[in-house]
Amino acid sequence: MELNLTNRVSTLKNKMLEEERYLSIEQAQIITQIYKENEEKSVALKRALSLKATLENLEIDIQNEELIVGNRTKGVRGGVVFPESGIGWIHKEIETIQNRPQDKFNVHPEDIHIFRKSIEPYWREISLEAAIKKRYGTEISEIEKVVKINQKDHAQGHICPNCEKWLKFGPSGILAEAKMKIKNASKEKKEFYESVIIVMEGVQTFMLRYRDLLYERSLAESDEALKSSMKKLAEICEKLSFSKPESFHEAVQSIWFLFVVLQMESNASSFSPGRMDQYLHQYYKNDMENGNLTKQEALEIIECVCIKFNQIVYMRNSHSAKFFAGFPIGFNIVIGGQDEKGNDATNELSYLFLTGQKHLLLPQPNLSVRLHNNTPGEFLKECVRVVALGNGMPQFFNDQSVMPALRELNIEENDVKDYAVVGCVEITTQGNNLGWSDAAMFNLNKVLELTLNHGKCLITGKQMAPDQGSLSEFETYEDLEKAFESNIKYFIGEMISSCEVVEKAHMDLLPSPFLSAVVDDCMEKGIDITCGGAKYNLSGIQMIQVANLADSLGAIKSLVFDRNKISRFDMLNALQNNYEGNELMRAIILNKSPKYGNDVKWIDEIGAKWAEIFKSELSNYKNYRGGKYHTGMYTVSAHVPMGENVGASPDGRYAMSPLADGGMSPVYGRDTSGPTAVLKSVARLDNNLTSNGGLLNMKFLPEFFSNESGIDKFSMFLRAFVDLEIPHIQFNVIRKEDLIAAKKDPENYRGLTVRVAGYTAYFTELADELQNEIIARTSYGDL
Amino acid sequence: MLYFKNKCMNCHICIEKCPRKALSLGRNGILIDQSACDLCGICTEECPGNALNMDCMEFTLEQVLVEVMNDQPFFKYGGGVTITGGEPLLQADFVIELFKGLKRKGIHTAVETSLFGSNEDLKKMLPYLDEIFCDLKLLSSEDHFNYTGVSNLIILENLEAILVSEEKTKVIVRTPLIPDHTANEENITRICSFITGIYPDVQYELLNYNPLASSKYHLIGREYCFEDNPKMYSVEEIEYFRSVAIKAGIKNMIED
């Protein structure tokens, strides 16, 4: 049966995209007022009361076509000012945010005035941001060029709540649970349960407000079909306020309310719905069996909630907006994978989510697919067909790699099998984990730079690390390795102290009762999630970037120490001068030393070796909640700003230019041995290095996907990807602009191949007019 | 020896290091005296920008097999090894041994050949092949001689031999569409009538014109047959050529 994109869904999509975005201070005003009225109360209670007041008073709106309602601002895609975590940047940028180049938000002029007069002054000294700055600001900024500590001015997020529990109990069930637990609780735990009671009551009111609004608007609606669907939805909202969902439609609405309230409480980048095709399947199946739902209706509901995932955005400062353009908020849905017995879990809903993605092509949800040895061939092909549409989704995760890595962290087997994804590519267990997956990004290349140059920054000359000599003085490659390792340990120590301060500040200032109520075992223990109430308490550190590191150390080892092609002194001198006047040396580095990503064992193993050293040193520490630190290899787009901090590097990279993208991907243009060699190289990185998530980006021209035989080849490629135990892969379809860039800048696109009637050539080696022809015929505009 | 002018850094190290003095500085960069060059490879190793490249490399049988087996994780699901041109039949002994080795490892094998080679060699190769792609550019012997420098007599004989052999189902005959040369109704009709006359179920494929070829001509300093490189044929034009082939009796048309 052909499934269609309905008029209702297209209308909703268009309305959303047409609506102007505004900065919103409404919630900030409510929170500030509650804090002022309750000065004597604890932070936990103030937070709970603020959320309740928001749920009761925030202006709400609906569209009559909606099958799923709810938002945290009246308008769509509002930029919410959230004072408790930090608004220093808004204070600086509120006037310019409407004209900045990336991710503009309109601002009502009177809001600027209110913000300046009554919001900002109140929070200036007491926000999370202010507290961290006061407690440890100097130390954190001392190391910021090497280690970027995150979550200094916003809530952590990156959490998969227990959606199954929410569906089973709803706000009323959890309210009852809290009321029961509070009876025998100790004094401090009483406060936790009290907070949960306060927020759940607020949630019930919030749902009823949508019921009322739907009824009211339905009276004025002349279209009978819409009128009746609005009334039906009003009934659903009412039911969810005191009971649990039974139908598929009710369940999906219930899940959306959950995510709206989570964002209201935390304003965090990424809360993820996780395995929606699994926990919604029972509802879908029942409805289908009873004849209460058709596939087309189910798809429409799914598409309506997928549109909703685009209506809550995360407003970032102008610097960060440049690198996380399009205000991504990481509603990550993962489909496919295995059930608790290890059987394939793909079902009809998995396909419907793919169809939804195909119809909408919106940036959210961030759609992920779990692959394993028994993923059905047809499902795999359908995934590739969606990838071929060119917006990079779905991305693929590999059970064969991720599950062993999670086992190594002593995660219980049922949680291992049920893993999901948060944010972009971070791995989590579902419903019981404060993974703190973006604790920090550790720039290994900056540490190498400092090691080669007396601990001094090549860009500013500032002493940043202990002086252990320089490249000119290291007699052997092993001497260099020794100094490098010692510097890594030094910065890990510094990083851990900073991470602890940040976690402590979150405990003090951002207790989150609503979130805690839907993450096991907080309710059981009576402990807030920020204080370690969750079953699993991890912290993830990203290693930035192993590809550049392998290429750099490989060039030093091979060209300087083993083959004597370049002297130690000359190499250091070239780095200090950003290769100026050393073009021939740079060419030798680029062309005469192998690079990571070409299936050359020894160079790939350099990357793996240093990642292992880093991970093993890190495992000596425990985080502030008592959990483990572990590692990931992804930057999303931070390879650009992280690269700006690094001087010229021995891999031939110029000072301040981007590092390799992704996390496990080779450096741009250095993988010249084809896609199979890339997979072989990446496979040399052990699974356990990426238990927090890894990212492999590969680019292909659209013609590689243009027919079924291309789709088949990609499916086979993905099968091999599963066998090679690589944790993650995503495919970008190259656009015209990329080819234009490649023509101008061949060095960074050396691996780019084009196909013409069964023949493949390197794009950058083609003559001018041929490049133009390929550019002319590569177009994705018409999709 | 290939010279990529856009990669040349004008350091002239190659001229200095060439033991046979085969390199010199011309108006457009490095000039290679191909007759003096003995392919020792020193210049390619020394050239910092990799502007000088060997067009070919010598491998032993074992080296090729090692290279192939690097991709073993992928062969489980498809793909395999295709030996292509130059002309595999010109190195038949090596190629046959290689195919034997690949078959022992269970790898899918294919060859792309112009069929301009010994019939004996071709017969020896056949048992080790899963797919045989045969070029047939022009049926007119005279045209063939004019454009390629040889008559197509051997080619037609070889084609007939495999199209009557037990391996005929593995054969795919291909005609590259080259404007003004092969891409005309008469040539395609004659080719198709010829091959379907031998084996009515023969698989046939029309290859779109490949404008990238001109790049290679420039790299080795040879003149290309077109002054203005034509464009690839459009979907509609390809459809027309296919209809010609079908009209001439093709039942199994390969489409990409």
Side-chain angles (χ1 to χ4, degrees), chain A residues 301-351:
Chain A
I301 292 167
I302 285 173
E303 290 178 349
C304 282
V305 79
C306 287
I307 288 178
K308 278 291 173 190
F309 286 121
N310 292 278
Q311 293 187 358
I312 293 184
V313 301
Y314 186 64
M315 183 169 66
R316 297 162 198 272
N317 64 37
S318 60
H319 179 74
S320 158
K322 264 191 272 175
F323 301 112
F324 298 91
F327 22 78
I329 191 158
F331 285 114
N332 205 314
I333 292 175
V334 58
I335 56 177
Q338 301 169 62
D339 65 14
E340 67 277 10
K341 294 197 188 93
N343 297 320
D344 175 61
T346 312
N347 59 40
E348 286 188 9
L349 282 181
S350 321
Y351 286 90

Side-chain angles (χ1 to χ4, degrees), chain A residues 583-584 587-588 591-592 599 676 679-680 707 716-717 719-720 723-724 756 759 761 764-767 770 773, chain B residues 4 6-7 9 11 44-45 47-50 70-71 73-74 76-78 208 210-212 214-215 229 232 256:
Chain A
E583 286 73 22
L584 285 180
I588 289 170
N591 295 311
K592 304 296 176 187
D599 196 11
T676 56
L679 287 200
K680 291 280 302 294
N707 54 31
M716 291 176 209
F717 188 68
R719 291 279 184 211
D723 288 347
L724 288 167
V756 178
Y759 170 87
T764 57
E765 293 184 357
L766 295 174
L770 291 170
E773 182 179 315
Chain B
F4 292 81
N6 62 347
K7 293 183 180 178
M9 303 182 73
C11 64
T44 65
E45 278 161 38
C47 173
N50 282 357
N70 279 337
D71 273 346
F74 303 90
K76 197 168 145 193
Y77 302 104
N208 201 337
N210 175 12
L212 305 191
S214 81
S215 274
N229 196 357
M232 289 175 77
D256 64 13

Side-chain angles (χ1 to χ4, degrees), chain B residues 14-237:
Chain B
C14 55
I15 299 178
E16 195 183 302
K17 299 274 178 177
C18 177
R20 314 251 321 173
K21 307 271 174 255
L23 301 168
S24 60
L25 188 60
R27 203 176 300 163
N28 270 317
I30 302 298
L31 286 178
I32 306 166
D33 179 352
Q34 303 278 7
S35 61
C37 170
D38 68 349
L39 301 175
C40 69
I42 290 175
C43 63
T44 65
E45 278 161 38
E46 292 293 335
C47 173
N50 282 357
L52 286 166
N53 263 286
M54 296 282 211
D55 185 31
C56 315
M57 274 168 80
E58 282 195 2
F59 278 88
T60 65
L61 195 60
E62 287 67 33
Q63 283 169 327
V64 178
L65 285 173
V66 166
E67 187 67 29
V68 169
M69 292 322 280
N70 279 337
D71 273 346
Q72 195 178 24
F74 303 90
F75 292 140
K76 197 168 145 193
Y77 302 104
V81 174
T82 305
I83 304 292
T84 171
E87 173 48 56
L89 285 175
L90 295 179
Q91 300 185 55
D93 292 343
F94 184 89
V95 172
I96 290 165
E97 285 310 307
L98 176 58
F99 280 137
K100 279 186 194 169
L102 291 171
K103 279 287 87 165
R104 270 198 299 274
K105 294 185 188 290
I107 292 171
H108 184 278
T109 54
V111 69
E112 285 182 350
T113 170
S114 69
L115 292 179
F116 190 74
S118 126
N119 186 270
E120 280 301 300
D121 289 339
L122 184 63
K123 274 189 189 151
K124 273 193 255 164
M125 205 179 283
L126 287 181
Y128 306 104
L129 285 169
D130 295 305
E131 257 176 326
I132 308 152
F133 294 95
C134 305
D135 247 22
L136 186 50
K137 299 179 182 80
L138 292 158
L139 206 75
S140 149
S141 193
E142 196 189 326
D143 286 348
H144 202 278
F145 188 84
N146 284 339
Y147 290 128
T148 68
V150 295
S151 148
N152 62 5
L153 207 65
I154 294 176
I155 293 171
L156 297 180
E157 274 174 19
N158 277 333
L159 186 57
E160 184 162 6
I162 51 174
L163 284 181
V164 298
S165 76
E166 280 179 19
E167 321 291 340
K168 65 186 176 188
T169 56
K170 298 176 183 171
V171 175
I172 295 161
V173 181
R174 282 168 153 181
T175 303
L177 294 167
I178 301 163
D180 308 336
H181 295 73
T182 66
N184 61 67
E185 189 173 340
E186 194 204 338
N187 182 43
I188 294 171
T189 305
R190 287 183 65 185
I191 286 175
C192 295
S193 310
F194 175 75
I195 55 175
T196 51
I198 305 166
Y199 172 42
D201 292 324
V202 63
Q203 301 182 80
Y204 183 64
E205 186 174 12
L206 285 164
L207 296 177
N208 201 337
Y209 171 64
N210 175 12
L212 305 191
S214 81
S215 274
K216 194 136 186 194
Y217 279 81
H218 294 152
L219 289 176
I220 54 173
R222 277 179 60 179
E223 217 157 278
Y224 194 48
C225 59
F226 296 107
E227 221 169 275
D228 269 332
N229 196 357
K231 295 213 173 326
M232 289 175 77
Y233 289 107
S234 68
V235 176
E236 294 73 26
E237 286 167 316

Side-chain angles (χ1 to χ4, degrees), chain A residues 643-749:
Chain A
E644 284 174 3
N645 293 333
V646 183
S649 45
D651 58 344
R653 189 189 130 277
Y654 286 121
M656 301 173 77
S657 65
L659 297 166
D661 81 331
M664 303 183 294
S665 321
V667 179
Y668 284 128
R670 307 280 195 269
D671 54 321
T672 53
S673 311
T676 56
V678 171
L679 287 200
K680 291 280 302 294
S681 284
V682 175
R684 296 209 166 94
L685 301 166
D686 199 88
N687 294 329
N688 62 29
L689 295 169
T690 49
S691 52
N692 191 47
L695 201 161
L696 173 62
N697 231 342
M698 293 187 80
K699 297 188 171 85
F700 291 92
L701 279 173
E703 57 216 16
F704 283 85
F705 300 94
S706 62
N707 54 31
E708 277 300 302
S709 107
I711 302 283
D712 279 341
K713 288 200 185 93
F714 267 92
S715 306
M716 291 176 209
F717 188 68
L718 282 167
R719 291 279 184 211
F721 153 83
V722 171
D723 288 347
L724 288 167
E725 299 186 4
I726 294 166
H728 169 273
I729 193 166
Q730 65 186 24
F731 300 108
N732 285 320
V733 179
I734 287 177
R735 284 149 208 275
K736 209 177 214 154
E737 305 83 76
D738 301 317
L739 293 176
I740 295 170
K743 202 183 150 195
K744 272 201 207 124
D745 177 20
E747 189 181 295
N748 282 326
Y749 292 87

